[in-house]
Amino acid sequence: MQQIKSALISVYHKDQLEPIVKELYRLGVQLISTGGTQDFIKQLNIPVTAVESITDYPAILGGRVKTLHPKIFGGILTRRDNTEDREQLSQYNIAEIDLVIVDLYPFEDTVASGADEAAIIEKIDIGGISLIRAAAKNYKDVLIVSNRSQYNRLFNLLKEQNGATSLEQRKTFAREAFQNSSHYDTAIFNYFDNEETVFKISISDKMPLRYGENPHQNAAFYGDLSKSFEVLGGKAISYNNLLDIDAAVNLIDEFSETTFAILKHNNACGIASRPVLVEAWKEALSGDPVSAFGGILVTNTRLDLETAREMDKLFYEVLIAPSYDDEALELLMKKEKRIVLIDKRSNKPAKQFRSILNGVLVQDYDSSVEGVEKMQVVTKTAPKANQTDDLAFALKVVKHTKSNAIVLVKNQKLLASGVGQTSRVDALKQAIEKATTFNNSLQDSVMASDAFFPFADSVEIAHKAGISSVIQPGGSMRDNESIEYCNTHGMSMVFTGVRHFKH
């Protein structure tokens, strides 16, 4: 055990600090501080030694240099069991420092606020980061508290152990300190790395999960889920739930009109847009009521009691909405295991990444949206006005469907989809079969494909099933064959020039 006799305190955030300062004073610990923290301690009527009185130097360069001095860092870095170190302390009149409490300038918050570059640069901490590394390096003798989230733990430790700390405790705090400093440096590097020369990411928040995709796989979510969703109730969110939730909100973000979607294994099995939410729900469900069982439900509209009553007839895992009527929420919460979320995301990440082989793949998020204005009619027959809207709807859905993907739509409703097939023809046949199974007529419906048709066989199969309009990116060496077939049989087809693979 190591007794704390002296403490250096220099923090940006003063909240939650008062109980610790008072407890250190009660224990007879000498307090050393500077700047605003020193003033804070004085206001508590507690004696405090100014760093300047130890170093014989004032804070200079507008406060950029305060603690960077051998009499401070020597007191932190000295090895208590090293005779030569102790002799040098005596020679240069340097006092040992047993506890360092320091946090860092809010660099990430300053960047996020949209501040100008000068303000951001000033929030790159120099003295604080140096104090953290020094104290953490010398954890055998010094306790480092590097984040205010540790204050409660420190306070309890001081009270329960009367100001003494064990080696194991100091090492734990040191590990957390190096994590804090590493995270801070990563944020600074990423601010400067406009060319993305190196892949660096640091996420401090960890949410343990029961297991991964399967029960034999360990898993965790790294991130602060509370920034995206308010969890109103239900069982613990699982690995697979998170994948489905991500897919669901990415899909619903494409729609501005009142829309309801049902997803299973990251793919939509039902989605519809209607002026009234309950009608959107009914139409979405009718697309594939079998797959909807145990699915993920998402809407972009405040959820009312009438819709909640209709939904309550089905078992589902997760519900996501921007808000809920009180009566609807009361009904929904009667199922204790049902996960109910409020979507409060303000923006989405600009990048996506995934681990692969011995590295990481990074790409821009697919934010491309090809509306009516980007549709190039390539056939003699142009889509009808209502078909144009359906083509835009179908394209939004197929963009978020596992490749190879085909989506069939009519009247702003998903009739069926072919998902994750090894050929486009197989995806189309799967979609047609599913539409037939649930009596969803394909007459005068539209078809969307996530990539081009290499041959005319897909449009031929579509035509024979009653589909009359097609949207695809184009770009095949045999595009003319598909165009000619459509012209011969009175079908319309538009190109977007943008592929939407999703693997």
Side-chain angles (χ1 to χ4, degrees), residues 115-136:
D116 59 30
E117 185 172 67
I120 291 170
I121 297 303
E122 285 307 309
K123 288 299 184 289
I124 298 177
D125 207 314
I126 303 300
I129 203 82
S130 301
L131 289 168
I132 287 172
R133 291 180 63 85

Side-chain angles (χ1 to χ4, degrees), residues 32-194:
I32 305 165
S33 192
T34 185
T37 309
Q38 180 184 347
D39 293 338
F40 174 83
I41 296 172
K42 282 182 177 179
Q43 289 171 7
L44 299 175
N45 295 317
I46 292 175
V48 57
T49 301
V51 165
E52 292 86 346
S53 69
I54 295 174
T55 63
D56 290 328
Y57 272 91
I60 61 173
L61 306 180
R64 283 188 165 195
V65 180
K66 289 184 276 190
T67 57
L68 294 168
H69 193 280
K71 285 200 171 184
I72 298 299
F73 280 84
I76 295 170
L77 286 165
T78 182
R79 292 159 289 189
R80 300 333 192 237
D81 59 355
N82 185 293
T83 303
E84 187 175 339
D85 282 7
R86 298 186 69 84
E87 288 175 352
Q88 288 186 339
L89 288 191
S90 177
Q91 179 182 355
Y92 297 108
N93 193 27
I94 297 173
E96 295 173 353
I97 297 174
D98 307 308
L99 168 64
V100 174
I101 304 175
V102 61
D103 63 3
L104 299 169
Y105 291 160
F107 178 83
E108 290 178 280
D109 290 344
T110 306
V111 173
S113 73
D116 59 30
E117 185 172 67
I120 291 170
I121 297 303
E122 285 307 309
K123 288 299 184 289
I124 298 177
D125 207 314
I126 303 300
I129 203 82
S130 301
L131 289 168
I132 287 172
R133 291 180 63 85
K137 177 178 180 176
N138 201 27
Y139 69 87
K140 287 186 176 180
D141 297 302
V142 179
L143 177 66
I144 172 63
V145 177
S146 58
N147 192 298
R148 53 185 165 160
S149 66
Q150 301 168 321
Y151 285 1
N152 282 339
R153 190 157 29 119
L154 171 63
F155 179 77
N156 291 334
L157 188 151
L158 293 172
K159 289 281 286 186
E160 294 168 6
Q161 298 178 188
N162 205 33
T165 62
S166 69
L167 178 61
E168 182 180 357
Q169 290 166 341
R170 293 192 297 277
K171 190 171 185 177
T172 296
F173 275 86
R175 174 180 56 80
E176 294 170 2
F178 283 122
Q179 189 279 321
N180 287 330
S181 65
S182 172
H183 177 85
Y184 195 76
D185 285 339
T186 296
I188 295 170
F189 171 79
N190 285 333
Y191 171 75
F192 282 97
D193 188 34
N194 296 324

Side-chain angles (χ1 to χ4, degrees), residues 377 379-384 387 443-445 459 463 466-470 482-493:
V377 180
T379 51
K380 294 177 182 178
T381 302
K384 302 170 188 175
Q387 286 183 322
Q443 197 62 40
D444 211 25
S445 62
V459 292
H463 170 253
I467 297 161
S468 59
S469 191
V470 180
S482 296
I483 294 171
E484 288 174 8
Y485 184 92
C486 289
N487 285 335
T488 301
H489 296 86
M491 297 176 71
S492 61
M493 184 159 63

Side-chain angles (χ1 to χ4, degrees), residues 251-263:
L251 172 61
I252 206 69
D253 282 349
E254 301 282 355
F255 297 88
S256 56
E257 58 275 25
T258 298
T259 303
F260 218 120
I262 307 167
L263 286 87

